[in-house]
Structures are given as C-alpha cells and as structure tokens.
C-alpha cells in the first residue's frame, strides 16, 4: 500500500528508488554525509522524511550542566524537523550518511489538517 499525494504514489516511505523515478514537484531529495548539519535553530521550517541513515538532535538549552542534550533518530520513515520537536533550539546533525526527502511546511500542514482534524491550527 502506498501513500497518494498530489496524484502520485510513494511505494514505501523508506524506498528512495520509488522516489527517484517519480516526479514530485513539491519535494526534494537531500543527501548528507556523516557530520553534516541538516537544520539549525532558525533555519527554514520544513519537514524531512528520513529514508536511510541516522541523525542526532542536539538541544541548545537543557537542564544538563553541559548545556546540551541530544537524542538519536535512526528509524527509516521518521519525520524530522523543528515542527516535530517539543522545544526550541534543536540542531539536527547526521551521525551517518543520510538520505532524506525534504517536504515543504505547507504540505505537511495540509496533510495533517486533512488526516487529523484535531491537529488543525487556528487561523
């Protein structure tokens, strides 16, 4: 079963081959090498779908005396971006080579509004 968006079909969230051969005018593939930063606080607020690899999310503010706290995202199909974080100040860094699908914020909001009426944001 696939996910139909804009008349196109994604065969599987973790399948880059399905995406590479299908035209998606509203998304872009993004590849990162280990150590590269995907997003910093204040960067463009878009979502990413992790297709392969692993990311570390490092928070600027933390109760930890070092001033940083981190968590790992390594599950294919995970949605990544500041809009999915519970608190501000997140930097996303590749801990291995990654392949991601960049999705505009407007598309995420539209899909969420249609799929989950309780998540609609007030206008």
């Amino acid at each position: 079963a696939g996910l139909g968006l804009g008349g196109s079909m994604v065969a599987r969230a973790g399948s880059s081959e399905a995406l590479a051969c299908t035209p998606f005018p509203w998304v872009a593939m993004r590849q990162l090498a280990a150590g590269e930063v995907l997003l910093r606080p204040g960067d463009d607020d878009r979502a990413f779908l992790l297709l392969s690899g692993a990311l570390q999310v490092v928070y600027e503010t933390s109760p930890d005396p070092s001033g940083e706290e981190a968590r790992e995202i390594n599950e294919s199909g995970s949605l990544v971006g500041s809009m999915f974080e519970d608190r501000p100040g997140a930097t996303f860094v590749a801990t291995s080579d990654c392949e991601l699908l960049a999705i505009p914020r407007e598309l995420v909001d539209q899909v969420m509004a249609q799929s989950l009426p309780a998540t609609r944001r007030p206008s």
Side-chain angles (χ1 to χ4, degrees):
L3 171 64
L5 296 173
S8 300
M9 193 71 138
V10 175
R12 220 175 101 250
S15 173
S16 60
E17 295 80 19
L19 298 169
C21 64
T22 307
F24 292 96
W26 35 263
V27 298
M29 292 296 295
R30 177 87 188 265
Q31 293 183 336
L32 296 175
E36 280 190 77
V37 174
L38 175 65
L39 291 170
R40 287 185 165 80
D43 281 353
D44 183 22
D45 196 17
R46 73 179 109 172
F48 292 89
L49 180 68
L50 181 63
L51 301 175
S52 65
L55 296 165
Q56 184 176 49
V57 184
V58 181
Y59 300 96
E60 289 179 350
T61 56
S62 167
D64 184 314
S66 71
E68 289 188 349
E69 184 180 323
R71 70 180 181 89
E72 187 89 3
I73 300 173
N74 58 15
E75 187 174 328
S76 179
S78 295
L79 285 172
V80 177
S82 60
M83 70 181 81
F84 304 110
E85 296 302 310
D86 292 337
R87 59 185 199 223
T91 299
F92 297 81
V93 182
T95 54
S96 68
D97 292 349
C98 293
E99 190 171 47
L100 303 109
L101 186 66
I103 307 169
R105 169 85 186 232
E106 298 78 25
L107 180 60
V108 173
D109 287 343
Q110 181 181 3
V111 169
M112 295 296 282
Q114 291 174 358
S115 301
L116 305 169
T119 64
R120 290 187 186 162
R121 297 175 189 211
S123 301

